Amino acid sequence: MPPRDILAIVWSARDPDAVATRLRGLGFALGADRRMAFPSAVVRIQAGTVGDDRLGLAEGPAAPPARALRHANGIADVVAVGWATVDRERFVADSRTPPVEALPNDPHLGAFVVRQGTGRPYALVVEPDTEGRLAASLVRFGEGPAALYLSCGAGGLAAFVGDAGRRGSAVSSVREGPLGPAVVLLGGPAWGPHILVVEADPPP
């Protein structure tokens, strides 16, 4: 049974059909309205009002999908949303959502990471520690949601990487990150949105 509140994530895109085609090529199931349904979140891809693709959150929770979409690549859920900031201490203090836990850095984004709160999907506050993907997001858009962390379950990361290879889809090498071993999907803009796949759900 889905949770009472399902996070409503909006992916605003310059070419939403091209984004949907790319994601379907990676093995994601999208409805006719370009929605990806997960137990904890619904991601809706829509035409953007600005020139670049970016993530946002809709007002209020999403309605539970009429039926669960099974993703052929083994992805099970959205486990976290990465919130880009230039000052994680200020960002956390302003939001006043305890508890806060420091996590290992994210080498794929080039970021320091803290987890805020306990609700799923988790809020990961990410601040650049190198001139990497996250820094490019901040230069382009400023602060806000910039990354989605998707879970493929214990033992599923090798299967996901193998499946991506068979589909001819580019993913990074596996590196240890804030939520364990992970890859980042390649082929999109340097400034994102960034889609990371993690080995398993972290403990609450």
PDB file of all heavy atoms in Angstrom, residues 2-3 21 26-27 45 47 61 73 84 86 91 97 118 136 141 151 170 180 182 190 204:
ATOM      1  N   PRO A   2       0.643   2.232  -0.848  1.00  0.00           N
ATOM      2  CA  PRO A   2       1.491   3.418  -0.903  1.00  0.00           C
ATOM      3  C   PRO A   2       1.367   4.238   0.369  1.00  0.00           C
ATOM      4  O   PRO A   2       0.368   4.158   1.076  1.00  0.00           O
ATOM      5  CB  PRO A   2       0.944   4.195  -2.107  1.00  0.00           C
ATOM      6  CG  PRO A   2      -0.460   3.731  -2.235  1.00  0.00           C
ATOM      7  CD  PRO A   2      -0.480   2.320  -1.792  1.00  0.00           C
ATOM      8  N   PRO A   3       2.407   5.027   0.687  1.00  0.00           N
ATOM      9  CA  PRO A   3       2.319   5.891   1.849  1.00  0.00           C
ATOM     10  C   PRO A   3       1.240   6.942   1.650  1.00  0.00           C
ATOM     11  O   PRO A   3       0.815   7.226   0.535  1.00  0.00           O
ATOM     12  CB  PRO A   3       3.717   6.530   1.913  1.00  0.00           C
ATOM     13  CG  PRO A   3       4.245   6.425   0.527  1.00  0.00           C
ATOM     14  CD  PRO A   3       3.666   5.172  -0.052  1.00  0.00           C
ATOM     15  N   THR A  21      11.830   9.798 -23.765  1.00  0.00           N
ATOM     16  CA  THR A  21      12.427   8.777 -24.625  1.00  0.00           C
ATOM     17  C   THR A  21      13.740   8.279 -24.044  1.00  0.00           C
ATOM     18  O   THR A  21      14.023   7.066 -24.040  1.00  0.00           O
ATOM     19  CB  THR A  21      12.652   9.331 -26.042  1.00  0.00           C
ATOM     20  OG1 THR A  21      11.384   9.677 -26.616  1.00  0.00           O
ATOM     21  CG2 THR A  21      13.349   8.319 -26.928  1.00  0.00           C
ATOM     22  N   LEU A  26      16.420   3.762 -20.866  1.00  0.00           N
ATOM     23  CA  LEU A  26      17.139   3.260 -19.702  1.00  0.00           C
ATOM     24  C   LEU A  26      16.337   2.209 -18.932  1.00  0.00           C
ATOM     25  O   LEU A  26      16.786   1.723 -17.900  1.00  0.00           O
ATOM     26  CB  LEU A  26      17.472   4.425 -18.764  1.00  0.00           C
ATOM     27  CG  LEU A  26      18.663   5.290 -19.173  1.00  0.00           C
ATOM     28  CD1 LEU A  26      18.614   6.639 -18.468  1.00  0.00           C
ATOM     29  CD2 LEU A  26      19.974   4.574 -18.835  1.00  0.00           C
ATOM     30  N   GLY A  27      15.145   1.885 -19.421  1.00  0.00           N
ATOM     31  CA  GLY A  27      14.352   0.848 -18.776  1.00  0.00           C
ATOM     32  C   GLY A  27      13.311   1.337 -17.803  1.00  0.00           C
ATOM     33  O   GLY A  27      12.705   0.533 -17.091  1.00  0.00           O
ATOM     34  N   ILE A  45       7.187  14.640 -15.958  1.00  0.00           N
ATOM     35  CA  ILE A  45       8.024  15.377 -16.901  1.00  0.00           C
ATOM     36  C   ILE A  45       7.106  16.270 -17.728  1.00  0.00           C
ATOM     37  O   ILE A  45       6.154  15.803 -18.353  1.00  0.00           O
ATOM     38  CB  ILE A  45       8.813  14.416 -17.804  1.00  0.00           C
ATOM     39  CG1 ILE A  45       9.691  13.506 -16.947  1.00  0.00           C
ATOM     40  CG2 ILE A  45       9.669  15.179 -18.805  1.00  0.00           C
ATOM     41  CD1 ILE A  45      10.227  12.305 -17.683  1.00  0.00           C
ATOM     42  N   ALA A  47       6.702  20.290 -20.038  1.00  0.00           N
ATOM     43  CA  ALA A  47       7.360  21.371 -20.761  1.00  0.00           C
ATOM     44  C   ALA A  47       7.734  22.474 -19.785  1.00  0.00           C
ATOM     45  O   ALA A  47       6.909  22.899 -18.969  1.00  0.00           O
ATOM     46  CB  ALA A  47       6.454  21.904 -21.854  1.00  0.00           C
ATOM     47  N   PRO A  61       1.050  16.815  -1.783  1.00  0.00           N
ATOM     48  CA  PRO A  61       1.456  15.472  -2.193  1.00  0.00           C
ATOM     49  C   PRO A  61       0.833  15.080  -3.520  1.00  0.00           C
ATOM     50  O   PRO A  61      -0.182  15.619  -3.945  1.00  0.00           O
ATOM     51  CB  PRO A  61       0.927  14.588  -1.051  1.00  0.00           C
ATOM     52  CG  PRO A  61      -0.254  15.336  -0.525  1.00  0.00           C
ATOM     53  CD  PRO A  61       0.111  16.800  -0.654  1.00  0.00           C
ATOM     54  N   ASN A  73      14.263  -1.953 -15.539  1.00  0.00           N
ATOM     55  CA  ASN A  73      15.662  -1.897 -15.109  1.00  0.00           C
ATOM     56  C   ASN A  73      15.848  -2.237 -13.630  1.00  0.00           C
ATOM     57  O   ASN A  73      16.960  -2.167 -13.120  1.00  0.00           O
ATOM     58  CB  ASN A  73      16.247  -0.510 -15.397  1.00  0.00           C
ATOM     59  CG  ASN A  73      15.417   0.609 -14.775  1.00  0.00           C
ATOM     60  OD1 ASN A  73      14.595   0.385 -13.896  1.00  0.00           O
ATOM     61  ND2 ASN A  73      15.634   1.827 -15.248  1.00  0.00           N
ATOM     62  N   ALA A  84      20.542  21.231  -3.663  1.00  0.00           N
ATOM     63  CA  ALA A  84      21.797  21.954  -3.864  1.00  0.00           C
ATOM     64  C   ALA A  84      21.817  23.249  -3.064  1.00  0.00           C
ATOM     65  O   ALA A  84      20.827  23.984  -3.011  1.00  0.00           O
ATOM     66  CB  ALA A  84      21.982  22.267  -5.349  1.00  0.00           C
ATOM     67  N   VAL A  86      24.872  26.433  -1.513  1.00  0.00           N
ATOM     68  CA  VAL A  86      26.253  26.904  -1.402  1.00  0.00           C
ATOM     69  C   VAL A  86      26.697  26.952   0.051  1.00  0.00           C
ATOM     70  O   VAL A  86      27.866  27.194   0.329  1.00  0.00           O
ATOM     71  CB  VAL A  86      26.426  28.300  -2.042  1.00  0.00           C
ATOM     72  CG1 VAL A  86      26.176  28.235  -3.542  1.00  0.00           C
ATOM     73  CG2 VAL A  86      25.507  29.324  -1.384  1.00  0.00           C
ATOM     74  N   PHE A  91      21.597  26.483   5.162  1.00  0.00           N
ATOM     75  CA  PHE A  91      20.416  25.858   4.574  1.00  0.00           C
ATOM     76  C   PHE A  91      19.681  25.029   5.617  1.00  0.00           C
ATOM     77  O   PHE A  91      18.450  25.104   5.754  1.00  0.00           O
ATOM     78  CB  PHE A  91      20.839  24.979   3.398  1.00  0.00           C
ATOM     79  CG  PHE A  91      19.713  24.446   2.556  1.00  0.00           C
ATOM     80  CD1 PHE A  91      19.358  25.061   1.378  1.00  0.00           C
ATOM     81  CD2 PHE A  91      19.017  23.303   2.942  1.00  0.00           C
ATOM     82  CE1 PHE A  91      18.328  24.572   0.593  1.00  0.00           C
ATOM     83  CE2 PHE A  91      17.986  22.809   2.172  1.00  0.00           C
ATOM     84  CZ  PHE A  91      17.639  23.441   0.996  1.00  0.00           C
ATOM     85  N   THR A  97      14.501  21.489  10.215  1.00  0.00           N
ATOM     86  CA  THR A  97      13.946  20.136  10.163  1.00  0.00           C
ATOM     87  C   THR A  97      14.946  19.159  10.770  1.00  0.00           C
ATOM     88  O   THR A  97      15.869  18.718  10.100  1.00  0.00           O
ATOM     89  CB  THR A  97      13.639  19.723   8.709  1.00  0.00           C
ATOM     90  OG1 THR A  97      12.750  20.673   8.129  1.00  0.00           O
ATOM     91  CG2 THR A  97      12.978  18.353   8.670  1.00  0.00           C
ATOM     92  N   THR A 118      13.740  12.451   8.661  1.00  0.00           N
ATOM     93  CA  THR A 118      13.693  10.994   8.555  1.00  0.00           C
ATOM     94  C   THR A 118      12.659  10.507   7.550  1.00  0.00           C
ATOM     95  O   THR A 118      12.520   9.313   7.328  1.00  0.00           O
ATOM     96  CB  THR A 118      13.367  10.369   9.932  1.00  0.00           C
ATOM     97  OG1 THR A 118      12.119  10.894  10.403  1.00  0.00           O
ATOM     98  CG2 THR A 118      14.465  10.683  10.939  1.00  0.00           C
ATOM     99  N   ALA A 136      28.095  22.881 -11.252  1.00  0.00           N
ATOM    100  CA  ALA A 136      27.484  23.311 -12.515  1.00  0.00           C
ATOM    101  C   ALA A 136      25.995  23.593 -12.331  1.00  0.00           C
ATOM    102  O   ALA A 136      25.455  24.552 -12.893  1.00  0.00           O
ATOM    103  CB  ALA A 136      27.687  22.240 -13.581  1.00  0.00           C
ATOM    104  N   PHE A 141      21.396  27.336 -11.990  1.00  0.00           N
ATOM    105  CA  PHE A 141      20.055  27.525 -11.438  1.00  0.00           C
ATOM    106  C   PHE A 141      19.992  28.144 -10.048  1.00  0.00           C
ATOM    107  O   PHE A 141      18.930  28.565  -9.609  1.00  0.00           O
ATOM    108  CB  PHE A 141      19.323  26.172 -11.370  1.00  0.00           C
ATOM    109  CG  PHE A 141      19.189  25.470 -12.679  1.00  0.00           C
ATOM    110  CD1 PHE A 141      19.732  24.221 -12.862  1.00  0.00           C
ATOM    111  CD2 PHE A 141      18.521  26.064 -13.728  1.00  0.00           C
ATOM    112  CE1 PHE A 141      19.614  23.562 -14.075  1.00  0.00           C
ATOM    113  CE2 PHE A 141      18.390  25.416 -14.946  1.00  0.00           C
ATOM    114  CZ  PHE A 141      18.935  24.157 -15.117  1.00  0.00           C
ATOM    115  N   SER A 151      16.668   3.835  -5.822  1.00  0.00           N
ATOM    116  CA  SER A 151      17.131   2.587  -5.227  1.00  0.00           C
ATOM    117  C   SER A 151      16.805   1.405  -6.119  1.00  0.00           C
ATOM    118  O   SER A 151      15.688   1.281  -6.638  1.00  0.00           O
ATOM    119  CB  SER A 151      16.471   2.384  -3.857  1.00  0.00           C
ATOM    120  OG  SER A 151      16.728   1.077  -3.382  1.00  0.00           O
ATOM    121  N   ALA A 170      24.628   4.966 -21.205  1.00  0.00           N
ATOM    122  CA  ALA A 170      25.869   5.266 -20.511  1.00  0.00           C
ATOM    123  C   ALA A 170      25.618   5.536 -19.029  1.00  0.00           C
ATOM    124  O   ALA A 170      24.761   6.348 -18.669  1.00  0.00           O
ATOM    125  CB  ALA A 170      26.548   6.481 -21.143  1.00  0.00           C
ATOM    126  N   GLY A 180      25.872   4.644  -0.025  1.00  0.00           N
ATOM    127  CA  GLY A 180      26.508   3.397  -0.402  1.00  0.00           C
ATOM    128  C   GLY A 180      26.949   3.412  -1.853  1.00  0.00           C
ATOM    129  O   GLY A 180      27.005   4.462  -2.499  1.00  0.00           O
ATOM    130  N   ALA A 182      27.113   3.513  -5.755  1.00  0.00           N
ATOM    131  CA  ALA A 182      26.165   4.207  -6.636  1.00  0.00           C
ATOM    132  C   ALA A 182      26.797   4.473  -7.989  1.00  0.00           C
ATOM    133  O   ALA A 182      28.026   4.479  -8.139  1.00  0.00           O
ATOM    134  CB  ALA A 182      25.730   5.532  -6.002  1.00  0.00           C
ATOM    135  N   ALA A 190      25.406  18.745 -18.227  1.00  0.00           N
ATOM    136  CA  ALA A 190      26.348  18.719 -17.103  1.00  0.00           C
ATOM    137  C   ALA A 190      25.717  19.250 -15.830  1.00  0.00           C
ATOM    138  O   ALA A 190      26.130  18.880 -14.724  1.00  0.00           O
ATOM    139  CB  ALA A 190      27.592  19.532 -17.459  1.00  0.00           C
ATOM    140  N   PRO A 204      16.526   3.561   8.200  1.00  0.00           N
ATOM    141  CA  PRO A 204      15.892   4.803   8.615  1.00  0.00           C
ATOM    142  C   PRO A 204      16.637   5.443   9.769  1.00  0.00           C
ATOM    143  O   PRO A 204      17.401   4.771  10.460  1.00  0.00           O
ATOM    144  CB  PRO A 204      14.488   4.365   9.022  1.00  0.00           C
ATOM    145  CG  PRO A 204      14.626   2.909   9.345  1.00  0.00           C
ATOM    146  CD  PRO A 204      15.707   2.388   8.469  1.00  0.00           C
TER     147      PRO A 204
END
